[in-house]
Amino acid sequence: MSTNKIRPFVGLILAGGYSSRMGEDKALLEIDGETLLQRNIKLLKQIGATDVFVSRNDFSEGSLPDIYPHQGPLSGVHSALFQSQLCHNSAPIIVLPIDMPLLSEDLLICLVEAGLTMDNAVHYIEHPLPAFIPNSNLTREYLEAILSDISATKPSRSIRRFLTRIDAVQLSTGENDKLINTNTPEQWCDLINSLSRN
């Protein structure tokens, strides 16, 4: 199902972490012969994203470099909003973390449609990501200010704090089981074992 018939939007995949707890690059972990990065790109295209940005540290083809490097996931959001402003007439973005392998089209479409209808940032209760973020001057200016402030603390640059500051709406869902994170080898093994039993 495509939602960009309502209004164009772009996708952003946050895959720039160092995967220190996992011990290997989470973006390259595979399910059914497909990496998590490939799965997320495909998922965003399936729901109608006009473009997909990938925030990574490796400067690989198709990756979007951070304007403010080494500042965490907000730096990827900031760069994607500015890139969308330049190339997509300030289209809003939907942000996916690389470590949620069970995300579904329905979950993402619900976020996009709610965000477009309300013209507001939205995410699911207790899950700051995935999130839909409108591309406004105020949002870009806030991110520019917080990321350029060398005295800003790490908590002040968190996705959760950012979403609170821009008055994001929290949605409920009956699919919390699809919003699980896999950050450690044990969590990844549990997921693979669960999928093999289904």
Side-chain angles (χ1 to χ4, degrees), residues 10 35-36 38 49 52 55 73 87 89 92 94 96-97 99 101 106 118 127-128 135 142 150 170 190 193-195 197:
V10 300
T35 68
L36 295 187
Q38 291 169 333
V52 177
S55 178
C87 302
N89 196 27
I94 181 165
L96 275 59
D99 55 7
D106 288 344
M118 293 185 284
H127 297 279
N135 198 342
Y142 170 77
I150 60 172
Q170 298 187 52
D190 287 345
N193 290 337
S194 174
L195 292 174
R197 290 193 297 267

Side-chain angles (χ1 to χ4, degrees), residues 71-82:
Q71 301 296 331
L74 274 192
S75 191
V77 172
H78 170 261
S79 294
L81 289 172
F82 272 87

